[in-house]
Every structure is written in structure tokens, then in C-alpha cells.
Amino acid sequence: MTATGTFTPQPGAAPLPRMIRSQAVLETRMLLRNGEQLLLTVIIPSLLLVLFSTVDIVDTGSGGKAVDFLTPGVLALAVLSTAFTGQAIATGFERRYGVLKRLGASPLPRWALMTAKTCSVLVTEVLQVALLTLIALALGWSPHGNPLTVALLLILGTAAFSGLGLLMAGTLKAEATLAAANLVFLLLLVGGGVIVSLDKFPDAARGVLELLPISALSDGLRDVLRDGAGVPWGDLGILAVWAVLGLGAAARFFHWE
């Protein structure tokens, strides 16, 4: 005989970790199904790596194989494209269409929603790094350094770019976010040490460019993966400052509607 209450419904929110995991899975599926986002986050970095590694178009000034110089920069570009550009555009239009407002009123806390978005970004970046690593190895890349240091750089870079992307998405209109995010992506592609060495710029400009998060990330990855250096504390410090400022400003000024 069935005990009383065995089949009694128990309405209420699911456990918080399960809600975050489900939302992160949903965010990841939506990102990977979006053709424009896939072009930005996967195809463009892969094409840049193959093109500039096999065709002598840009003088990297590295004195070694082009792929050894380019791969760390393209890995940094992949983080930028996902954590900043892609997230800013997607979140901006979710805000415009009222999606964020409705999700913010759900049992999922707002901070947990942002956590799920960050988890989605990290999952996408793992896939990006794996793909770009395979392509680079096929092109003759010879990586060096400590993988844990590389992971720390990528995580801090993700935090910095996520904060800036959410700040832009939460303060500007969706159309302005779309234009500004793509413009920043192009400018940092050229002036962030990704494809063109910062040594090619005038001293005054280089001093400013070196303080950008994309420059710190690409230079830090290059020091470790190409030169086998230890922990690049200077670059980590720059990324940490950007992460604190960006995430703090996003938390303070982000508008949900």
C-alpha cells in the first residue's frame, strides 16, 4: 500500500546549482547555433591563424616561425571574440527584447544568471582553444611553458573581457552595442599585438597599447607559450585590474531593461 503523500506535488524552484547548470547549457546551445556568433568566435580566428601562418603577409618581427608568434595572439583573440564581442552583442539584444527582464523575475537569481552566462563563455572557449591548438600543431607550432599559467591568463582575460562586455551591453542600446563591440574587436585585432607585433608601433603608442587587456593577454601567452617564460606577473596584474574594474562597473551600472 502506498504511503500517504508519496505522490504529492512539491512545487518550488529547483536547487540553485541545477538552475545554473541548465541555464549555462541553454546559453551554450544558443551561442553555438547562432551562425553569426560562430563566425566571430570560431571561424575568423581559425582563418586568421591559417592565413597568416602560411602566407608571408605580415612581418611578425619574431625571428622564428610565424605560427609560434601568431598562435598565442589568436588564442587571445578567441577570448576577446567570445567573452567580449559575442557576449556583449547577445546580452544587448536580450536586454532590448525583454529577455533579461523576464529571466530576472524568474526563480533564478540575477547573479546566478550572469554566472551561467560566464560558464557558457568558458565552455565555448575550451572548444575554441582545443580547435585552435589542433590547427596550430598541424601548422608546426611548438608550444612551451606551464599549462597552468596559460589557464590562469585565459581565465583572467575572460573575466576582464566579460566585465567590459556586460558593461557595454547593460548601458548602451542594442544597436550601439552591436556597432561598438565590432569596432572594438577590429581595433584590438590590429592594435592589440594579436597579428602585428607591438614593436612595430611608435614608443608613445606602444606604451598605451601595452596597458590594454588584449595586449596583456596576447603578450603573456606569447611569453609563456613561445619563450617558455615563468609567470608573467606584469601581464597578470594588468588583466586583474581590468577584471576588477570591468566586473565592478558592470555590477554597478548594468540595467536589466
Side-chain angles (χ1 to χ4, degrees):
M1 184 175 180
T2 304
T4 303
T6 300
F7 300 104
T8 301
Q10 297 181 357
L16 185 58
R18 186 188 303 172
M19 288 194 291
I20 294 176
R21 182 173 63 251
S22 299
Q23 185 65 30
V25 171
L26 176 62
E27 296 278 350
T28 303
R29 287 178 176 173
M30 291 172 60
L31 190 151
L32 294 178
R33 289 176 179 175
N34 189 319
E36 295 178 358
Q37 298 292 345
L38 194 63
L39 173 67
L40 179 69
T41 60
V42 177
I43 298 178
I44 290 179
S46 300
L47 288 177
L48 289 175
L49 179 59
V50 173
L51 176 63
F52 289 106
S53 294
T54 55
V55 181
D56 188 13
I57 299 176
V58 176
D59 180 14
T60 60
S62 60
K65 292 187 294 184
V67 68
D68 290 336
F69 174 87
L70 292 167
T71 301
V74 172
L75 291 175
L77 182 68
V79 174
L80 170 68
S81 66
T82 301
F84 174 74
T85 311
Q87 183 168 220
I89 294 172
T91 306
F93 278 95
E94 286 178 353
R95 176 170 165 255
R96 175 189 175 183
Y97 295 132
V99 175
L100 290 184
K101 179 181 178 180
R102 289 171 174 79
L103 287 175
S106 71
L108 181 68
R110 292 184 173 184
W111 67 264
L113 173 60
M114 293 305 177
T115 300
K117 285 183 172 293
T118 301
C119 291
S120 172
V121 167
L122 291 173
V123 170
T124 305
E125 288 179 359
V126 168
L127 298 176
Q128 286 178 292
V129 170
L131 175 62
L132 292 172
T133 298
L134 290 176
I135 294 174
L137 291 174
L139 294 170
W141 181 41
S142 302
H144 303 281
N146 189 336
L148 293 179
T149 304
V150 174
L152 180 58
L153 284 164
L154 293 175
I155 290 172
L156 273 179
T158 299
F161 288 126
S162 291
L164 296 173
L166 291 173
L167 176 63
M168 180 180 290
T171 55
L172 301 179
K173 292 184 177 180
E175 293 79 3
T177 298
L178 175 62
N182 282 313
L183 177 60
V184 170
F185 177 83
L186 293 175
L187 291 177
L188 294 184
L189 170 62
V190 176
V194 175
I195 302 297
V196 180
S197 173
L198 292 181
D199 294 335
K200 302 296 182 182
F201 292 87
D203 292 341
R206 186 169 69 246
V208 175
L209 294 175
E210 287 175 346
L211 297 177
L212 297 175
I214 185 65
S215 302
L217 182 56
S218 58
D219 285 349
L221 290 173
R222 196 166 288 123
D223 288 343
V224 176
L225 292 171
R226 185 189 65 177
D227 303 329
V231 180
W233 293 110
D235 295 316
L236 286 173
I238 293 173
L239 290 173
V241 170
W242 278 102
V244 171
L245 293 177
L247 292 172
R252 173 66 178 82
F253 298 108
F254 190 94
H255 297 292
W256 289 78
E257 53 181 294

